Amino acid sequence: MPALPGAAASTEAARCMAARGSTMAPGRVYDIVVFGASGFTGQFVVEEVARAAAAATAAGEGQLCSGRLRWAVAGRSREKLRAVLDRAAERLGKAAPGEEVGVLLCDVSDAGSLAAMAKQTRVVLNCVGPYRFFGEPVVEACVENGASCIDISGEPQFLEGMYLKYNEKAAEKGVYVVGSCGFDSIPADMGVLYTRDKLKGTLTAVESFLSVKSGPEGLGVHDGTWKSAVYGLADEASLKKLRKQIGYAPVPVVGAKLKKRGFMFYSPEFKEYCLTFMGSDGSVVKRTQRYLHTELQQTPVQYGAYVTVGGLGSVIKLMFLGMLFLLLVKFNFGRKLLTKYPEFFSAGRFSKKGPTQKQMDGTSFTMTFFGEGYSEGQDPQNAKPNVKICTEVKGPEPGYVATPIAMVQAALSLLEDSASLPKWGGVYSPGAAFSKTKLIDRLNKRGVEFSVISKPEV
């Protein structure tokens, strides 16, 4: 492990801790550590942290120490970590990270190195996936050593498993473990809350529709996401057992029950065919709504998640690939084929090399929310919904531009909006952790934009 900065840095850390009333133990010389910084997604997170650090310096004194975001990168290879910092410097120019950025040698298989990393920072940004294989040691190290932890997992088994195992200990330690802080769960979870807050009345149900548009170069995704989907679907049965162990309290249905759509349907609003979205958004939003109902006595919102897929030709192609995927994922040899040849089985969308810069530049997303509810004074239990609202979250390329933005702004909310976080530490979904913070304002300023498309109409 590299040596810690000297006595001057420790003195500065102690002074900053006292100034902001933080519970951070003396000797934590970093605000943020990016773990897995040299991985495909990690390199983009490093760039985004560097931008945030430059912005903090420009803004001057604040919650961060002397107007400065103190951060480090962590991983197995010093050479690769230095190369990632050099790449960020080349791409960012004036916002480039300088020599003050720490470099920590750390391996997910070495518990001692993870503990040493966690002891030095207030927040760990964990970019090492699939999280079902590599996520728990990082969560454990953070909880045991008093650091908060943020990840970008879309794996419900991992997310809910961490809640079962570490929620109580995280609460005791006063640290926050917040999963799913990337695309697509931040837009979905915070989008539902934004829709609720913009409705004058009581929101009781929301459907979201995700549209991803790409340019002439097409769409590209790194195969890390593909692997998470392969192993997640293969182990889907364990999720039911896990939820029984947790013993979730049922979330009551308020107002008219949201009708479930078929797996595939035509949307007149979008003039495209749509499919049920198979990601983690449904489980993440439900966890948030359960927390807000049980802990804050707020009206729970029913939720359905869908994705637009285009015309009939696109549907046929996707259905064929989907059936092949679901068949192969059931068997060990099938999973090996899927993970070895992601490009072939995804019609070129997923690859081991990831998207090119041109592909990223030409890609964007829009998530549209259709909400319904009851006007002020109307009883949701004794009437039909009489008010509707449409909102939107839109942003740049979702995987490696919007995700780093969401992850880093979530970290800044933990660091700077501490008075607005849940009273106790614990394992939280994004909406549960950040419902009262300035996260949506932060995202708007970084190009992930929340807006009302049509106002409530009675």
Side-chain angles (χ1 to χ4, degrees), residues 5 43 67 86 88 124-125 129 137 139 153 160 175 196 202 215 221 231-232 239 305 310 354 369 400 415 429 444 448:
Q43 63 183 326
D86 290 344
V124 171
L125 301 187
V139 172
S153 171
E160 298 183 41
V175 299
R196 178 200 68 181
T202 304
V221 187
Y231 293 114
L239 188 56
F369 299 82
Y400 313 103
L415 292 168
S429 58
N444 274 323
V448 178

Side-chain angles (χ1 to χ4, degrees), residues 81-99:
L81 294 170
R82 286 291 180 196
V84 165
L85 291 173
D86 290 344
R87 177 184 180 277
E90 185 179 338
R91 287 171 59 86
L92 298 179
K94 287 183 180 179
E99 291 298 319

Side-chain angles (χ1 to χ4, degrees), residues 22 27 31 130 143 248 257 423-424:
S22 172
D31 296 303
V143 171
Y248 284 131
K257 188 171 183 179
K423 187 176 180 181
W424 310 110

Side-chain angles (χ1 to χ4, degrees), residues 5-18:
S10 295
T11 302
E12 184 186 17
R15 179 186 64 75
C16 293
M17 177 191 68

Side-chain angles (χ1 to χ4, degrees), residues 367-445:
M367 194 175 280
T368 307
F369 299 82
F370 296 100
E372 67 175 26
Y374 299 79
S375 57
E376 292 172 330
Q378 189 86 358
D379 184 358
Q381 300 296 61
N382 296 314
K384 290 182 178 180
N386 70 331
V387 65
K388 293 185 178 182
I389 186 172
C390 179
T391 64
E392 181 180 270
V393 182
K394 62 181 181 180
E397 189 280 330
Y400 313 103
V401 183
T403 284
I405 289 170
M407 190 183 207
V408 173
Q409 296 307 315
L412 292 176
S413 286
L414 278 185
L415 292 168
E416 296 187 320
D417 302 343
S418 56
S420 302
L421 296 172
K423 187 176 180 181
W424 310 110
V427 179
Y428 291 97
S429 58
F434 301 122
S435 66
K436 295 182 178 180
T437 70
K438 298 176 182 176
L439 178 57
I440 289 177
D441 292 338
R442 295 177 187 281
L443 292 169
N444 274 323
K445 289 174 184 175

